[in-house]
Amino acid sequence: KNQVEQSPQSLIILEGKNCTLQCNYTVSPFSNLRWYKQDTGRGPVSLTIMTFSENTKSNGRYTATLDADTKQSSLHITASQLSDSASYICVVSARYGGATNKLIFGTGTLLAVQP
Amino acid sequence: DTAVSQTPKYLVTQMGNDKSIKCEQNLGHDTMYWYKQDSKKFLKIMFSYNNKELIINETVPNRFSPKSPDKAHLNLHINSLELGDSAVYFCASSQALRRDTQYFGPGTRLTVL
């Protein structure tokens, strides 16, 4: 069964601190993994996308890692800011040939950055 | 300019009513989607349309009927609303050959009383 699990479910950190969010998946056939940021009252916005051959990818203060062997990904946020407060959703894409992709969504990690 | 827009942003209605949510994208995409996000923030796909043709229809009650008048629009009509329909509904779009890269609208929060 294709599943994406995220941990922790929620996290509170102080402004300026670093944090790491985890994503474990059992999705096959794997195509790519994407981290989304969803601000309160808004739709998800893509942060990074990683394919099978990529181990790490950065987008500003966000760094995502992917271990395709253990089927784990992490999202590391450096020097957190208040605006980082949001839900972070891990989404894994399964590709079934041609242009057919199925997205499997994680339940998200709710991050609160406090001053 | 807004890429994927939805109206209304908030919708409060009584059980049994019929309501519609509209979605428009100006990205030139061929494929559009409707997602439901429940109180636990889990996003679940409901429908997908490619060039006005239904290609994905997950196990959604037939009270929900998507309508795509053209490639840029995908509206969601809901009949006989129930309490369990309360959720945030997101519209998204993508290129037909890049369905793993979806752009989401701002969401419509539906509350059924």
Side-chain angles (χ1 to χ4, degrees), chain A residues 32 34 38 41 43 103 105, chain B residues 9 37 42 90 100-102:
Chain A
N32 58 61
R34 193 185 292 267
Q38 184 177 15
L103 299 186
F105 288 79
Chain B
K9 189 168 176 61
Q37 188 173 44
F42 184 66
F90 287 97
D100 57 349
T101 303
Q102 297 182 16

Side-chain angles (χ1 to χ4, degrees), chain A residues 6-20:
Chain A
Q6 293 185 242
S7 62
Q9 192 173 29
S10 60
L11 182 62
I12 301 174
I13 62 173
L14 293 177
E15 188 178 10
K17 298 295 186 183
N18 304 334
C19 68
T20 301

